[in-house]
Amino acid sequence: TCSVDRLLILWKLKTQCSAYGFSGHAEAVTSVEFSPDGQVLASASQDHTVRLWIPCIHGESSVLKGHTASVRSVSFSHDGYSVVSASNDKLIKIWSVCYQRLLFTLFQHTGWVCCAKFSPDGRLIASCGEDKSIKIWDTRNKICINTFSDYEGFPTFVDFNPSGTCIASAGSNNTVKLWDIRMNKLLQHFKVHRAGVNCISFHPSGNYLITASSDGTLKILDLLGERLIYTLHGHKGPVLCVAFSKGGENFASGGVDAQVLLWKTNFDALDYEEVLKHNFRRTHIDDPPHLLDVYPRSSHFHDEKCKSVEVDPTFDVPDIQTPDPVIIDIRTSSYLNT
């Protein structure tokens, strides 16, 4: 996890509660992500830098300098060889993890860039910014190949679905949108939150999407059923980030209340298997597989009357809050050893 307290904290979940705090950034840390193999951490900060860390007690890190303003997001390519960063300097930069140097810069946004993510196959990058646009970039030719505009507000977060055929965007105007990048069509439009949506995460199946909002809730959307299925309470204030675990059995959320909540998914096993079986042909029809039908569909507007099961852990589940762990402070040491 990362925070405005300038620390990265690495939590040991399977042992008696313990945590390691990595210090090195000079300002608030805005984004953190594990490499696909779990051997490296990348972080972004308001101190204009990206750092690569070896998550061990030695605290080794390497600083990647090149941005001239706050870095808003950082994300690994799926092979772990590259990192993409998005910044308030209106630039997107791609870095080599092995050589710890800048590979190239993408520039066409006219406002602060909020988020940038690699596609699963690494050929594309999706980015979004306060210029109210979502851009798709070709990493080979280093050019923008498509732009989606959101005139109702600006997109705050964007990510590819697991098959790489669609992108989902979260908006400052309380919306979540799903776009087909092959047909250049808006597939689905959910308006289920009462405040801006700050983060989204696809379930590994690609059939569910979880959202985190400034209205203090998390919501789980069934993309195939086109409906809101769960509303989750627990944070006291805006929820800033959310992410499914690699297998989809858990997800974690963080908020301005300085809490990290770890949730266990409770999709019914039988129903979930039936959903996967029923949609197997549609989701595995070719390479890359389609998430939904081949043909573009009209926009689906979901108003606030959408029914969902509401879950509040303070009332509905036993209190299993862990005691505050002793955080072992690890200061950054020498240059990262590759």
Side-chain angles (χ1 to χ4, degrees), residues 262-275:
L262 186 63
W263 308 75
K264 182 175 176 59
T265 55
N266 61 343
F267 300 123
D268 184 87
L270 182 61
D271 288 349
Y272 182 54
E273 289 175 6
E274 287 297 316
V275 166

Side-chain angles (χ1 to χ4, degrees), residues 4-310:
V4 294
D5 63 11
R6 305 179 184 180
L7 289 178
L8 295 182
I9 295 186
L10 187 64
W11 307 83
K12 291 266 190 181
L13 301 180
K14 292 185 178 180
T15 60
Q16 201 68 28
C17 194
S18 61
Y20 300 91
F22 292 86
S23 56
H25 281 294
E27 298 292 341
V29 190
T30 55
S31 177
V32 65
E33 188 175 280
F34 272 105
S35 61
D37 63 6
Q39 301 301 306
V40 182
L41 278 169
S43 61
S45 171
Q46 291 180 1
D47 64 10
H48 305 182
T49 69
V50 172
R51 278 183 181 262
L52 300 176
W53 308 76
I54 300 293
C56 66
I57 60 172
H58 301 299
E60 294 179 346
S61 71
S62 181
V63 185
L64 305 179
K65 296 181 179 179
H67 286 293
T68 57
S70 296
V71 188
R72 300 278 288 272
S73 86
V74 65
S75 186
F76 280 93
S77 60
H78 286 248
D79 59 12
Y81 294 157
S82 304
V83 161
V84 60
S85 58
S87 169
N88 284 357
D89 61 11
K90 306 177 186 178
L91 301 178
I92 299 158
K93 292 183 180 289
I94 292 79
W95 311 83
S96 166
V97 174
C98 295
Y99 299 104
Q100 298 152 46
R101 64 178 179 84
L102 179 66
L103 294 176
F104 56 92
T105 300
L106 302 174
F107 46 91
Q108 201 167 313
H109 279 286
T110 57
W112 293 354
V113 189
C114 300
C115 181
K117 298 279 187 178
F118 278 101
S119 63
D121 60 11
R123 292 183 303 164
L124 302 174
I125 288 173
S127 65
C128 65
E130 295 192 10
D131 57 6
K132 299 185 177 182
S133 73
I134 299 166
K135 296 185 182 294
I136 308 295
W137 308 81
D138 183 335
T139 58
R140 293 175 182 173
N141 299 323
K142 305 173 181 58
I143 58 171
C144 179
I145 57 175
N146 203 355
T147 299
F148 299 101
S149 296
D150 190 340
Y151 297 107
E152 303 163 11
F154 66 87
T156 57
F157 194 92
V158 67
D159 202 4
F160 286 88
N161 70 329
S163 69
T165 59
C166 301
I167 57 170
S169 63
S172 64
N173 60 333
N174 314 353
T175 64
V176 174
K177 295 183 178 182
L178 195 72
W179 313 78
D180 187 318
I181 61 174
R182 306 152 302 169
M183 309 298 294
N184 298 331
K185 294 288 185 179
L186 176 64
L187 289 177
Q188 293 174 327
H189 180 179
F190 294 92
K191 193 165 186 177
V192 294
H193 283 288
R194 299 178 184 274
V197 185
N198 300 313
C199 188
I200 52 180
S201 179
F202 277 99
H203 187 267
S205 68
N207 295 332
Y208 302 96
L209 188 73
I210 191 166
T211 62
S213 170
S214 292
D215 65 11
T217 68
L218 300 153
K219 292 181 185 283
I220 298 179
L221 307 174
D222 176 359
L223 299 180
L224 293 173
E226 299 178 327
R227 64 196 177 102
L228 168 64
I229 53 176
Y230 291 109
T231 298
L232 305 172
H233 302 266
H235 285 284
K236 300 173 181 65
V239 191
L240 300 179
C241 57
V242 65
F244 272 110
S245 61
K246 194 171 183 179
E249 66 279 0
N250 298 305
F251 57 94
S253 59
V256 298
D257 56 5
Q259 286 196 111
V260 177
L261 302 182
L262 186 63
W263 308 75
K264 182 175 176 59
T265 55
N266 61 343
F267 300 123
D268 184 87
L270 182 61
D271 288 349
Y272 182 54
E273 289 175 6
E274 287 297 316
V275 166
L276 290 183
K277 185 192 299 183
H278 178 69
N279 293 287
F280 184 82
R281 184 183 60 81
R282 291 167 63 189
T283 56
H284 296 80
I285 194 168
D286 63 4
D287 186 23
H290 292 241
L291 173 67
L292 296 165
D293 297 325
V294 174
Y295 300 101
R297 295 149 53 159
S298 59
S299 306
H300 298 274
F301 293 86
H302 297 256
D303 58 28
E304 294 177 2
K305 296 178 182 178
C306 266
K307 299 294 182 183
S308 69
V309 176
E310 298 211 0

